[in-house]
Amino acid sequence: MLYTIIKALHIIFMVSYFAGIFYLVRLFVYYKDTDAFAEDKKKILREQYIFMARRLWNIITVPAGIIMAVCGLVMIFLNTGLMKTPWFHLKLTFLVGLACYHYWCWKKVQQLKVLDGDTLETANIKLRQANEIATFLLFLVVFTVILKYQVIEYWWQLITGFFVLVLLIMTTVKLVNKKKKKQ
């Protein structure tokens, strides 16, 4: 029963963590969108986006990420057999990718803190595309956990499907951005 409760908490805080990460990068996009605004409007909006990003990072994203990680470690401790399964190693690999993405987000939050009216260096389209990375990682982790041993057996179909999904989402982002520029 303890394991099931920890697993439920792990899932709940995973959802909270990803909600924070999803919205955080969207705030970076909104911040970058202000580049073309008049100075007074730009200043007001950027101050608000910085405020929102810092609060989101410090109050939701990081605490949820810590609780999610602690629950995951407790589950590994309670079920050491996980470390012997290939699908779990694959999940851990994807979590390393998530840790890299988390670090990138943290660096952007730090950059926002010191900008003082300056702009983010990252291009708008790159921020919009980066916004989808967490989605891809979420897909990979969830499919790996749900399919477990089938992931190992049917890895090439899953990888092919994943890359098709990535191309579709990236193309959609580019089309939406191109359409937005025309307006």
Side-chain angles (χ1 to χ4, degrees):
M1 174 120 159
L2 175 64
Y3 185 84
T4 307
I5 291 169
I6 299 297
K7 188 177 190 177
L9 290 170
H10 179 68
I11 292 168
I12 290 165
F13 285 100
M14 182 227 23
V15 170
S16 299
Y17 174 78
F18 272 97
I21 283 289
F22 290 152
Y23 192 55
L24 182 69
V25 181
R26 179 56 39 195
L27 287 173
F28 298 156
V29 170
Y30 295 157
Y31 184 96
K32 186 67 177 174
D33 283 346
T34 64
D35 283 354
F37 292 5
E39 282 305 313
D40 55 341
K41 184 177 180 181
K42 182 191 307 186
K43 185 178 184 326
I44 292 168
L45 286 171
R46 285 185 172 182
E47 285 176 6
Q48 184 63 34
Y49 293 144
I50 291 169
F51 174 78
M52 291 167 69
R54 290 171 74 183
R55 294 282 286 306
L56 178 63
W57 184 256
N58 293 323
I59 297 172
I60 297 172
T61 309
V62 170
I66 290 169
I67 296 169
M68 172 186 69
V70 167
C71 288
L73 291 171
V74 169
M75 288 189 325
I76 292 169
F77 178 75
L78 293 174
N79 182 5
T80 56
L82 285 172
M83 293 304 290
K84 297 175 185 163
T85 60
W87 69 266
F88 192 72
H89 291 176
L90 186 60
K91 177 188 175 184
L92 291 176
T93 302
F94 297 143
L95 293 180
V96 168
L98 181 60
C100 293
Y101 186 73
H102 180 93
Y103 177 77
W104 177 84
C105 288
W106 176 73
K107 294 299 281 182
K108 288 292 175 206
V109 169
Q110 297 302 316
Q111 189 180 0
L112 280 180
K113 289 179 183 179
V114 298
L115 283 176
D116 194 31
D118 215 353
T119 189
L120 285 171
E121 296 171 12
T122 310
N124 193 303
I125 187 70
K126 295 296 180 195
L127 288 170
R128 290 177 186 279
Q129 290 170 335
N131 195 38
E132 305 307 325
I133 292 172
T135 305
F136 302 143
L137 290 167
L138 181 61
F139 268 83
L140 290 169
V141 170
V142 168
F143 272 93
T144 300
V145 171
I146 297 298
L147 296 175
K148 290 181 174 55
Y149 295 101
Q150 288 118 355
V151 166
I152 305 305
E153 191 175 337
Y154 299 104
W155 65 270
W156 64 272
Q157 290 102 327
L158 291 168
I159 296 296
T160 302
F162 174 73
F163 281 112
V164 168
L165 178 67
V166 168
L167 287 172
L168 283 172
I169 291 174
M170 292 296 193
T171 303
T172 302
V173 168
K174 283 189 176 194
L175 289 173
V176 167
N177 201 39
K178 188 182 273 189
K179 189 175 186 179
K180 184 180 171 191
K181 283 183 181 179
K182 287 181 181 180
Q183 291 176 347

